[in-house]
Amino acid sequence: MLNPTRVSQGLLAWIEERIPVQAWIAASLHVTIPRSAHTFYLGGITLFCFVVQGTTGILLALYYQPTPETAYDSILVIMNQLNFGWLIRSVHAWSANLMIIFCILHLLRIVLQGAYKKPREITWLVGMGLLFLTLGFGFTGYLLPWDQRAFWATTVGTEIAGAVPFIGDFVRQFLRGGADVSAATLTRFFGVHVLVLPVALAGLLVLHLLLIHQQGLADPEGDENE
Amino acid sequence: MSRESEPAAPREPDLLPFWPHYVLSEFIAWYIVLGVLITLAALFPAGLEEKANALQTPEHVKPEWYFLAVYQFLKVASVFASLGSEAPRLTGILLPAIGMALLFFLPFLDRGPKRPARRRPLLLILTILILAVVIALTVWGQYS
Amino acid sequence: MTEFTVKPIRRRKSIQLLLGFSFIATIGGVLAPIIAYLIPRENAAAYGGPSEVGAPEDFPLNSGKIVSVNDKPVIIVNTKAGGLKAFSAICTHLGCVVTWNERKGIIHSPCHDGLFNPVNGSVISGPPPRPLPQYELVVKEGKVLVGKPLGNIYGERSGE
């Protein structure tokens, strides 16, 4: 008779013989953190918000329709007709705000603890990239419900980008995909929100975590090059 | 830990194992955030205004709260009008952009060896000042 | 008196049980709404009474025409033997939409050459497992109206 414990043990041994998974897990977990580096779990909570955004975002994308004719109605369907659709959209909206708040708090901790100093300058730059991408998520995601607030906030927001000297007109047209906020803007923002930004953010995130893992957390009580 | 006689001696940091100690606390933090998220979503569900209408601008158009400070600063920049007709728009865009660029390159601007904020009073004062200005602009933007 | 032999539960064990239970409960609490959300909603285009598909002149003798009834394809056939009839145009084999074969005067499924009788929808030859379900059809005030499917949506197997 098949014994589930023995089967799973056999399977694990089979994998372990080919790729040293246990050694990888051990190497990633068996590190230490300076007790004085009070992280307040800010970066980890930002990561958690990103996971929530990925999950709820995929769920929303299954029903959302990115055209000016149907976007608003598909949001109404999500909010009123689907089971827990209102909950998933509301969690997505709240988690977006929390993600930005925790990004900023995490940044403040790094500044006040001086954790960006040598040799961690690259981690800081990658982290700033993550912050900009997160703000990009907020800017593109805000248009998608295609209600009055979304439409006019995007109109004004892209207009502000148009005030940049010399390249302003080009930037505004580029962001809008045309002269005005239109169907082209909606599909453009949707594509950036669900394809470009998630891939870019996931890539930078892996780099950020790898650097932290390799260098360890900075000890705020010790000075650089300790 | 008091080594008054040997200030230059390297200090041994007190270490905490990542696994399971730190991971467990991090999990508890995630648990709390999940609870907060669901509570907020249930009490204040995401709203939806009327369908977009390109022919009618609603009153009080505002960006999301995290862009409010820049938005409000652009309005405030009209005080630079005496410097030329384009001056308000340029300063309103360029100053926040320069600010972000300075923050981006912070590790290359602040190269001193000291880490904790209490031993870097200039940084502490600057951080508090900038934070206060940004929060003030955000609140002002929200209620104007 | 019966003697109870109860294994003592140690504090460590009970804490582990509690933690494990609350962990599983959380996973379930998160997954349940997600699964419920993924269930498609009821088709919005529900039956709203018979729908008009044209005038009787639109369906001359020995013809078959595909029309849309409540977003579903329906074939209206007019034969000497059966008169004006409405059948579901979705082939019972793999869901292709059937066509009218002018030369043979029968309903033909293009996917695997299933042939259906235009009088009662039964399978003449080919792989379809069931006949085409028939729809209610009435001619009223110069309009052809198609209503609900007749009987079992799957119809009855021919020759049974």
Side-chain angles (χ1 to χ4, degrees):
Chain A
M1 216 186 95
L2 280 177
N3 182 335
T5 321
R6 282 182 63 185
V7 168
S8 57
Q9 276 173 355
L11 187 66
L12 286 180
W14 188 90
I15 296 172
E16 193 64 32
E17 218 180 315
R18 283 150 185 87
I19 45 172
V21 181
Q22 281 180 17
W24 291 345
I25 293 174
S28 54
L29 290 180
H30 291 164
V31 287
T32 50
I33 291 172
R35 225 177 261 273
S36 56
H38 300 287
T39 65
F40 309 106
Y41 314 109
L42 298 169
I45 291 174
T46 315
L47 171 66
F48 178 72
C49 288
F50 179 59
V51 172
V52 170
Q53 290 305 79
T55 312
T56 52
I58 289 170
L59 292 171
L60 291 173
L62 295 180
Y63 290 101
Y64 176 72
Q65 299 174 1
T67 71
E69 291 77 29
T70 54
Y72 186 80
D73 291 338
S74 67
I75 299 281
L76 282 181
V77 167
I78 289 171
M79 291 301 280
N80 300 324
Q81 297 192 18
L82 294 167
N83 302 317
F84 297 104
W86 64 272
L87 181 66
I88 286 169
R89 176 164 173 256
S90 303
V91 167
H92 195 74
W94 273 111
S95 180
N97 286 312
L98 286 193
M99 188 171 168
I100 290 171
I101 290 172
F102 280 104
C103 251
I104 294 170
L105 293 177
H106 178 56
L107 180 139
L108 281 173
R109 169 180 87 80
I110 300 299
V111 168
L112 292 178
Q113 291 190 350
Y116 52 85
K117 299 201 167 197
K118 191 184 171 188
R120 298 185 179 81
E121 297 98 324
I122 302 169
T123 317
W124 168 269
L125 293 179
V126 174
M128 286 303 285
L130 287 169
L131 174 64
F132 289 143
L133 290 178
T134 307
L135 292 175
F137 266 114
F139 187 61
T140 51
Y142 206 49
L143 176 67
L144 301 185
W146 202 251
D147 62 353
Q148 276 289 71
R149 193 173 48 180
F151 183 90
W152 290 100
T154 304
T155 305
V156 172
T158 46
E159 197 65 48
I160 288 174
V164 176
F166 309 118
I167 53 165
D169 283 338
F170 171 77
V171 171
R172 185 178 51 221
Q173 292 244 349
F174 186 79
L175 287 174
R176 290 181 179 175
D180 303 301
V181 176
S182 63
T185 322
L186 184 56
T187 48
R188 189 168 276 241
F189 274 39
F190 178 70
V192 170
H193 190 82
V194 305
L195 293 169
V196 180
L197 291 175
V199 171
L201 196 139
L204 282 190
L205 184 64
V206 168
L207 187 57
H208 199 68
L209 294 176
L210 267 179
L211 287 168
I212 293 166
H213 182 258
Q214 287 304 307
Q215 299 183 319
L217 292 192
D219 175 15
E221 297 306 317
D223 292 336
E224 79 171 58
N225 301 323
E226 81 258 39
Chain B
M1 286 296 240
S2 67
R3 285 184 183 155
E4 314 282 313
S5 49
E6 289 180 87
R11 180 188 149 275
E12 279 299 308
D14 185 11
L15 295 173
L16 178 82
F18 179 68
W19 175 269
H21 299 69
Y22 186 80
V23 173
L24 185 65
S25 330
E26 183 78 66
F27 257 74
I28 293 170
W30 289 3
Y31 227 87
I32 294 169
V33 171
L34 182 68
V36 168
L37 265 179
I38 290 172
T39 310
L40 282 173
L43 293 181
F44 311 99
L48 195 63
E49 291 191 356
E50 283 169 40
K51 191 173 173 174
N53 181 355
L55 302 178
Q56 187 205 337
T57 309
E59 284 178 46
H60 311 299
V61 177
K62 276 199 191 86
E64 278 277 59
W65 62 268
Y66 36 86
F67 294 125
L68 263 179
V70 176
Y71 182 69
Q72 187 62 24
F73 184 74
L74 193 66
K75 275 198 220 169
V76 173
S78 59
V79 297
F80 298 110
S82 58
L83 298 174
S85 61
E86 282 297 298
R89 237 161 49 121
L90 290 185
T91 45
I93 292 285
L94 283 180
L95 283 184
I98 292 170
M100 282 312 275
L102 289 179
L103 184 64
F104 191 84
F105 292 110
L106 179 64
F108 307 99
L109 301 170
D110 168 28
R111 303 169 65 122
K114 291 179 201 152
R115 280 224 184 90
R118 62 185 146 71
R119 281 163 60 196
R120 295 183 295 156
L122 179 67
L123 172 112
L124 193 59
I125 291 166
L126 268 178
T127 308
I128 292 171
L129 245 154
I130 293 171
L131 211 57
V133 169
V134 169
I135 290 173
L137 280 171
T138 304
V139 173
W140 189 4
Q142 182 63 39
Y143 294 102
S144 67
Chain C
M1 258 185 74
T2 2
E3 214 176 292
F4 287 104
T5 49
V6 184
K7 266 190 191 169
I9 297 180
R10 308 234 172 267
R11 185 184 292 172
R12 186 187 182 84
K13 177 100 179 161
S14 55
I15 287 174
Q16 278 175 349
L17 273 172
L18 272 173
L19 273 178
F21 178 76
S22 50
F23 189 67
I24 290 167
T26 310
I27 302 243
V30 170
L31 281 184
I34 290 179
I35 291 165
Y37 171 82
L38 290 174
I39 297 168
R41 71 201 164 106
E42 298 291 313
N43 196 344
Y47 181 71
S51 44
E52 186 192 337
V53 294
E57 303 87 71
D58 297 333
F59 308 100
L61 203 61
N62 290 321
S63 78
K65 194 174 163 190
I66 307 284
V67 294
S68 175
V69 175
N70 291 327
D71 286 334
K72 286 195 172 66
V74 167
I75 186 164
I76 313 283
V77 292
N78 193 352
T79 54
K80 205 172 175 182
L84 208 54
K85 289 265 171 76
F87 296 102
S88 161
I90 300 169
C91 178
T92 52
H93 182 215
L94 292 173
C96 297
V97 170
V98 296
T99 58
W100 175 249
N101 187 316
E102 191 84 55
R103 200 167 47 81
K104 292 182 186 167
I106 50 176
I107 299 170
H108 171 233
S109 170
C111 289
H112 290 97
D113 284 327
L115 299 176
F116 297 93
N117 185 332
V119 175
N120 58 9
S122 62
V123 180
I124 297 172
S125 71
R130 288 181 299 274
L132 294 175
Q134 192 177 349
Y135 275 69
E136 215 171 58
L137 183 148
V138 284
V139 181
K140 208 160 116 187
E141 296 160 5
K143 289 172 190 163
V144 179
L145 300 171
V146 173
K148 288 180 179 172
L150 289 172
N152 185 343
I153 185 88
Y154 296 116
E156 284 161 25
R157 205 172 253 281
S158 60
E160 278 182 2

